Amino acid sequence: MDFGPDRWRLYRLAFREAGRSMRGAAVWTSSKVLSGTPMPTRLLFAPQDLRTADPTIATDIYSGFFAFAGRAITTGGRSPFAFAPPSRAWGEALYGFGWLRHLRAAGTALAQANARSLVDEFVTSRLGDKRLACDTQVTARRLMSLVSQSPLILEGADHAFYQRFLRIIGQHVRELERHVRSGVPPFSQLMAAIALCYAGLCCEGLERTTRRASRYLARELDRQILPDGGHASRNPRITVDLLFDLLPLRQMFASREIDTPEALLRAVDRMLPMVRLFRHGDGTLSHFNGMGVTAADHLATLLTYDDMRSQPIHHAPHSGYERVEAGRTLLVADVGAPPPVALSTEAGAGCLSFEFSSGMQRIVVNCGMPRIAGDAIIQASRSTAAHSTASIGDASSCQMVSDKGGLAERRIAGWLLRRLGPVIVSGPEQVTAERSEREHVQSLSASHDGYQARFGLTHERRWHLSPKGDSLDGEDIFWGEGASAASREAIIRFHLAPGVRASRAQNGRVVMLVLPNREAWQFSADPIEARVEDSVFLAAPDGMRRTEQIVLTLRPSETPSVRWRFERMARTYTPGQTQEPGPELL
C-alpha cells in the first residue's frame, strides 16, 4: 500500500502494538507466573480428539510420504524434520503433530512405534525449522496433540520414555507460559491458554498451571468470542477450529470435577448457532474473511455435539453478518467493519459482499481463501475484487500493511509483518445495517464508508428476498461529492459458483444462469448492461477452479444507482434448447 495518507495510522498501530506487548509482560509478571512451573508427575487421561482421522495416511507416513496443506515430500528414509518446509502451512502441520491421530486410527503396533520414534526424534534432534516449530500457535497445537494422542505414544513404551515424555510436556508448558508473558498477539494468547488447560487438566502436578490457564482462558474468551458467538477475527474457520478444541476442554473440566469456567460454557453455547449461520444447503460454509475449504466431515462431526440442535441465528450484529432465508433460497451477507488489527491477518476487504444459494446449489459466492497458494494469490483473495460486492476501480475498501513506502515506513511495516502478519491498517469505519420485513418480503440494507476518505464515495446496498425465495432484488447506490468522486468508476461483481453456466441475452440486459442440477435463474440489471467475465473460485476441495462472474460497470457521477435482480425460472433451461422445457421447479 501507499502509506501517504495512512502514515500516521501505521505509526499509531506500531506504538499500540509495542505498548500491548509491554502490558502483557507486566500483567503476567504481576500475577506471579514467574514463580515457576512444576513438572507433571503422571498422565491422568487423554482428551478426545474430535477431528476425523484417516488410517490410510498412517501408511503414507510410515513409507516416508508427508502430505500437508497441498504440499508433499518423500523422505527416502531420512527424517521429515531434516527437510526445509515447502510452505509455512506444511511446516505448521508437521510441527503441530496433528497427524498423530491418523497413526492412532491405524491401531497397529507399527503405527505406535512410528509415532513414538517421530516424537522422540523431533525432541532430541537438532533438526527442523526451530523458529517455525517454536511459534506460539504451533507449540500450542503440538502440546494439545501430544496430550490427546498420549495413549498412542506411550502404549508399550518403557519407563524411561514415559519420564522423558512427561519432561516434554513440562517443557512445552514452560515455553507457552513464557510466550504469554512476552505479550504475543491475542489469538496466540488464546491458543496458549487452551493448550495449557489441556496439559494442566490431563496431568498430575500441574494444578497451579491449571488455575492460571483457566483464568486466562476465561479472560481471552470473553474478549474474543463476541456476544453473538462469532470470533473477533470475523473468520468462520476460526470459530469452527476453536470449537474442536473447546468441546473436549469442556468435557475435561467435568471429568476432573473442576468447575468449568462460565466463559467457556457461554462461548460454546453461542458459537454453535453462529456456525450454522454460515452454513449453506450443501453443508459448506460461506467464504468470508479467511474462510476457505469446508471440511464437510469435520463440520458434520462438530454439529453432532450441539446438544440443543440449535437453529442458525439470522442476525449477528456484533460479528457483522446477516442471514436471510425464504423457501429454499438463502442469502448470507457481510455487513461488518474490519476486525481488530491484531486479528485481521486473514480478513478480506469484502464489506457488503454476499453469498446466495438455492437448495443445495450455490449461485453467487466469494472467491474464498485458497488452501495453498503463494503470497500474491492469498493477498488477491483478500481484495474487494475477489468478493461479490462493489469496488472503486481496482482499489479495495481495506488497505493492508506491506513493506512498501519510505524507509521508516518499510521498517515499521516489516516489524508489524513479522509480529502480526499482513494485517488490515485501514478500512470502513462506519458500517450501518438494517433489516426489515413487509408483506413477507425480507429486506436488508447496509452501507460503508471505506471509499470516503480516498474517493469521497459511500457505498450502499439493498437486498429484498421474495416470500417464496423465487427472486432476489438488489440495488447498489453510490453517493458523494467532489472532483475525486466525479472521476471514479465503480465495478460491481457477482462471482458465480463453480458449475454455474452463464450466457448473455438481449444485448446484455439479461444473463441466463443454469445450475448443475439444471435449475435456471435469470439475472437482469437496470440501467446498466451486464458483462460475463472469467473468474476463479479459490476454495474448492480439489484446488482452484475456473468459473465466471457477472460484472456491472458505471460512473457514480453519471449513474449513482443500479438495480439488479436474480429470478428463478419456472422451468428448467438449457441454452439453445428447442424442445419443450422440463418439469416445473417451483
Side-chain angles (χ1 to χ4, degrees), residues 236-245 271 275 285 299 302:
R237 177 184 57 78
I238 287 180
T239 304
V240 171
D241 287 346
L242 281 174
L243 280 169
F244 274 112
D245 297 327
M271 293 165 74
V275 169
L285 300 184
L299 186 60
L302 181 68

Side-chain angles (χ1 to χ4, degrees), residues 34 49 63 570:
L34 293 174
D49 188 346
S63 63

Side-chain angles (χ1 to χ4, degrees), residues 257-278:
E257 298 183 348
I258 297 175
D259 289 341
T260 306
E262 286 295 324
L264 173 58
L265 298 175
R266 288 195 303 268
V268 170
D269 288 343
R270 292 196 303 257
M271 293 165 74
L272 285 165
M274 187 66 190
V275 169
R276 295 183 185 274
L277 177 147
F278 296 110

